[in-house]
Each structure stands twice: as C-alpha cells, then as structure tokens.
Amino acid sequence: MVNQNSIKTSRINSHLSLSQIKTLCIDFTSLSSVPKSISISSSRLNDEQPIPLERLGIILDYSERGILPLLYARLFPRLDPERCSYQVAGRPFKSGHWVKLSGQQQSTSMLLAWTRIRSLDISGTIPYTYDGARDHLAGLPPPSTDQRRVFRLHLASLLSSAFPDSSAFPDSEFLVDSVGENSDVYELDRMQDGSVVLVVKSEEEKGEVEAAVRTSQEIARWRHVFAVELET
C-alpha cells in the first residue's frame, strides 16, 4: 500500500502460495491517510488466473471515501467472482449509512464490474454510486435472470451507522422501509425470492424484523424478496 508520505507493505508468509489462502481481511482503519495505490503480488500465481479467495473482508473508515474507487479498480477485479463473496464493513460514517460515490468518481467504468457475484455482506455503511438515470450498489450490475444474487444486510451495524450519536436506535422497521425507499439501489425488481437477507442478532429482534417485513408498505411489492436470519 502506498500513501502520500511513505511506502507501506503488508506481507503474507512469502512461502505461502496465494492459491492456498481462502480468507483475506484487509483493515484500512488504522491508516492515517488514504493510500494512493494497492497492489497484490501474484508472483506465485499465474497472472492469467484470478486470485481464488473464498471470502474477502474490507474494513474501512468511511470518512476516507477515496479508498472505495481504489478498491474497486485495483483489487476486486483480481478476484474470482464465482468463488469469492465479500464483506464491506467499517466504522460508522457520521453522515449516515449511505456513501455516495458520485462527485468522487467521474466515471463508473473503473468500478467493479463482476457479472457473476453471488453474495455480498454489508455492514456499517452501504456504498452506492449514481450512474446516469439511477442509483445502484457500487460497481454491481443488475443480476441476470438465471442468477440468484444474495445481499446480506446486517441490521444492527447499519442502524448504529445511521444514528451513531444515539443510544436509542429506532426499531428495525426504519431500515426495512429504507431498503424499500431505495429499491433502485438494490435492484429489487430483479431479485429472486429470499435474496435480500436481513441479518439480526437475537430471536427477539428476528420476530420484530419479520413483523416489519410483513407490514411495511414501502416493500409491499417486493415482500417475497426478503428473508430474515440470525447472525451465525
């Protein structure tokens, strides 16, 4: 990783092939400034092959928005989308649970353009971008008709991000309605049954969220798209 002041390199055991690594978590929250570039050496992996991770975790401080386009442009295209799901997590962003990339990014062509991604876990903050006529989750094209793509939204972290200074969060109906109000971002019209999974921490919360899904008018058209499950 390179920042304005110095070159910072994180090394994994040099004798370990990248093809042997199954899970990789990259934590940017301790950096004092946004790196200007990201490079993963694939000297032990044929450059024609994508990095065969099964899970990638990215932990960010969302006050440093510039890192998101950098990740999409430099790191994510190297992954195998049929094998790798990824998690976008981070410290709460003070202005809410959405990070809008327009204005920071002149063109969406640099953003991630996987067409076969299967699973996306979202914690803390939801990055999205504006592309011409609509908003959408950053870099993700609409799901194809033969593909079931799953969004797992971790409600506790998203609520705490939306209200970082409050000790009493609104109930989960707020976030359920928020998803419905931003149906274009999630491509709800093209999602299959049970493909938006609301992840909760307790049986009590699970009951509350299931009730919110049943009664929310904002998601009435897409009720079948939602599922609720306990965090494992």
Side-chain angles (χ1 to χ4, degrees):
M1 294 177 286
V2 181
N3 67 15
Q4 294 137 328
N5 303 315
S6 63
I7 295 176
K8 296 185 178 181
T9 303
S10 296
R11 294 187 181 278
I12 302 171
N13 185 336
S14 61
H15 299 289
L16 182 65
S17 169
L18 281 174
S19 63
Q20 296 175 264
I21 299 172
K22 301 301 183 185
T23 300
L24 177 64
C25 182
I26 304 176
D27 187 345
F28 292 96
T29 58
S30 62
L31 294 181
S32 59
S33 59
V34 177
K36 296 297 184 182
S37 65
I38 296 171
S39 175
I40 292 184
S41 171
S42 56
S43 59
R44 294 178 180 271
L45 187 70
N46 186 328
D47 279 338
E48 298 300 316
Q49 299 176 1
I51 299 172
L53 293 178
E54 292 181 357
R55 184 157 190 83
L56 170 68
I58 302 293
I59 304 174
L60 301 171
D61 178 348
Y62 282 102
S63 63
E64 299 286 10
R65 300 189 190 194
I67 194 67
L68 286 168
L70 183 59
L71 285 170
Y72 288 125
R74 301 293 184 187
L75 175 59
F76 289 2
R78 300 290 303 278
L79 303 176
D80 182 346
E82 292 189 326
R83 296 190 55 180
C84 185
S85 63
Y86 71 98
Q87 178 178 25
V88 179
R91 296 197 294 235
F93 181 65
K94 61 185 178 182
S95 295
H97 62 290
W98 300 94
V99 170
K100 191 171 183 179
L101 296 184
S102 60
Q104 301 290 322
Q105 179 81 23
Q106 295 301 314
S107 169
T108 58
S109 62
M110 287 180 61
L111 294 177
L112 177 66
W114 286 346
T115 57
R116 303 186 303 278
I117 188 169
R118 299 296 184 186
S119 177
L120 172 63
D121 275 56
I122 301 177
S123 303
T125 305
I126 301 173
Y128 77 101
T129 188
Y130 183 77
D131 181 15
R134 65 183 181 87
D135 295 334
H136 58 92
L137 283 170
L140 296 180
S144 61
T145 54
D146 62 346
Q147 171 190 345
R148 180 172 182 263
R149 186 168 67 205
V150 177
F151 292 146
R152 292 169 48 85
L153 307 181
H154 295 255
L155 296 196
S157 69
L158 293 174
L159 284 170
S160 64
S161 172
F163 296 90
D165 300 322
S166 174
S167 58
F169 301 145
D171 61 33
S172 299
E173 185 176 348
F174 165 83
L175 194 54
V176 172
D177 287 345
S178 177
V179 174
E181 290 167 358
N182 293 278
S183 59
D184 287 347
V185 172
Y186 293 94
E187 295 282 352
L188 292 184
D189 284 330
R190 303 183 65 161
M191 297 294 279
Q192 297 183 22
D193 291 6
S195 291
V196 178
V197 181
L198 307 175
V199 182
V200 300
K201 288 192 170 184
S202 67
E203 287 287 355
E204 179 181 8
E205 187 182 9
K206 186 172 185 286
E208 293 173 356
V209 175
E210 287 173 338
V213 170
R214 286 195 303 271
T215 59
S216 171
Q217 294 305 303
E218 296 292 344
I219 66 165
R221 288 175 52 194
W222 308 286
R223 231 179 285 282
H224 62 285
V225 165
F226 290 82
V228 185
E229 69 177 39
L230 281 171
E231 195 169 59
T232 55

